[in-house]
């Protein structure tokens, strides 16, 4: 049995005051929960503040993005190695918002995945199809390409000490999550793709579902064999709602 992981992706939301309030509430509300791994991904600017607020907490820290480069003349960018100075454990790579709005193709995403691993952090590879791709029956093709770009760059054992998040683009922020059965089908496909490279890494790999996860639908999603937790957007900004999602994974 894989240990569940519930992560909050705060996206471009927050202020010093809201970070302090949300993390104080989450610290209090998640006391005593020790069967689920929990992480939050604040905007990069608040990672230092979050590190201090989470100093005595079981809640881990994640980052939403990094650059492919480790250092140099890359104005505005952030390197994976820098995150290691702030107790960051996870880094999201290939979120659909970055793929779509920042033109990150599979190759760039694979390079980011590699950079995260080289820094000794845990990459969370986000994969998922658009509404059109889904209607055209291309879901497996798209996700297969997204996974294989990483395998091509980082090898058979790419997914050792990594996480995959299946986030159908049509489900993100739409209020319409994938059904548990549909999510399970894709998660099973992802695990099979990884198993074809390495059975051991496939067996250990946490595959999270993301896209309109709420307290009300979390338990049904988590009851599926290959759904090992969630990557939560909007609902992770509300301490009660996020805590109830975490509790659904206990
Ligand atoms: P929502 O939970 O707001 O749909 O966002 C999901 C997501 O994109 C998490 O990375």
């Amino acid at each position: 049995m894989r240990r569940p992981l519930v992560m909050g992706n705060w996206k471009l939301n927050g202020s010093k005051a809201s970070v302090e309030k949300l993390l104080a509430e989450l610290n209090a509300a998640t006391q005593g929960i020790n069967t689920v791994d929990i992480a939050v991904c604040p905007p990069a600017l608040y990672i230092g503040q979050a590190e201090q607020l989470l100093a005595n907490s079981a809640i881990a820290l994640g980052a939403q993005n990094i650059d492919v480069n480790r250092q140099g003349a890359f104005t505005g960018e952030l390197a994976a190695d820098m995150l290691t100075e702030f107790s960051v454990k996870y880094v999201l790579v290939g979120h659909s918002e970055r793929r779509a709005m920042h033109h990150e193709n599979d190759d760039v995403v694979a390079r980011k995945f590699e950079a995260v691993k080289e820094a000794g952090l845990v990459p969370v590879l986000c994969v998922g199809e658009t509404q059109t791709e889904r209607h055209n029956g291309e879901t497996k093709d798209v996700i297969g390409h997204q996974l294989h770009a990483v395998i091509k760059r980082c090898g058979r054992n790419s997914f050792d000490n990594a996480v995959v998040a299946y986030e159908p683009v049509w489900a993100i922020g739409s209020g319409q999550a994938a059904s548990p059965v549909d999510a399970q089908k894709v998660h099973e496909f992802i695990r099979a793709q990884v198993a074809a490279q390495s059975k051991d890494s496939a067996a250990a790999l946490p595959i999270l579902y993301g896209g309109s996860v709420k307290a009300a639908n979390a338990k049904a999603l988590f009851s599926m064999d290959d759904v090992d937790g969630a990557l939560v957007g909007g609902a992770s900004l509300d301490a009660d709602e996020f805590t109830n999602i975490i509790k659904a994974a206990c």
Side-chain angles (χ1 to χ4, degrees):
M1 180 69 188
R2 287 168 295 273
R3 193 176 155 85
L5 168 62
V6 176
M7 300 185 71
N9 173 11
W10 295 358
K11 307 190 180 183
L12 184 52
N13 293 292
S15 63
K16 279 188 184 174
S18 74
V19 170
E20 186 161 353
K21 180 170 180 285
L22 181 52
L23 290 183
E25 289 172 355
L26 282 178
N27 270 333
T30 58
Q31 285 293 318
I33 295 180
N34 51 23
T35 54
V36 180
D37 287 331
I38 307 167
V40 293
C41 306
L45 201 56
Y46 299 120
I47 283 176
Q49 184 194 4
E51 181 196 26
Q52 290 181 4
L53 293 165
L54 296 176
N56 298 310
S57 167
I59 301 172
L61 255 181
Q64 299 176 17
N65 180 41
I66 50 136
D67 190 39
V68 294
N69 298 291
R70 299 188 85 153
Q71 62 172 32
F74 304 100
T75 302
E77 295 298 344
L78 179 73
D81 298 282
M82 295 172 179
L83 297 174
T84 64
E85 292 195 289
F86 293 91
S87 312
V88 168
K89 178 172 183 185
Y90 302 97
V91 184
L92 308 185
V93 293
H95 192 283
S96 64
E97 286 152 15
R98 296 212 57 88
R99 291 180 191 262
M101 296 174 212
H102 300 272
H103 313 293
E104 292 188 8
N105 59 27
D106 284 346
D107 181 51
V108 169
V109 172
R111 289 171 65 201
K112 290 192 172 190
F113 187 100
E114 184 177 44
V116 174
K117 289 210 114 180
E118 282 176 358
L121 301 176
V122 179
V124 180
L125 176 71
C126 302
V127 298
E129 81 287 3
T130 64
Q131 180 80 282
T132 310
E133 289 162 345
R134 181 179 192 227
H135 277 140
N136 293 344
E138 295 166 353
T139 299
K140 289 183 177 172
D141 270 2
V142 169
I143 292 171
H145 275 114
Q146 292 171 335
L147 293 170
H148 283 279
V150 167
I151 292 164
K152 189 171 153 213
R153 183 153 195 112
C154 302
R156 296 186 84 81
N157 299 318
S158 297
F159 292 101
D160 283 355
N161 205 23
V163 175
V164 172
Y166 169 51
E167 298 209 307
V169 180
W170 48 270
I172 295 177
S174 67
Q176 204 193 347
S179 72
V181 169
D182 283 351
Q184 167 60 23
K185 281 185 195 152
V186 178
H187 284 225
E188 206 175 315
F189 169 76
I190 292 169
R191 202 176 303 285
Q193 295 298 300
V194 175
Q197 305 296 323
S198 161
K199 283 202 164 50
D200 288 347
S201 51
L205 178 69
I207 306 180
L208 313 183
Y209 168 79
S212 296
V213 176
K214 306 272 182 278
N217 59 20
K219 203 155 191 85
L221 285 159
F222 297 159
S223 72
M224 297 287 123
D225 281 354
D226 289 292
V227 178
D228 304 312
L231 180 56
V232 184
S236 72
L237 298 169
D238 180 308
D240 284 345
E241 187 75 10
F242 190 53
T243 303
N244 285 331
I245 293 170
I246 294 162
K247 286 184 176 162
C250 287

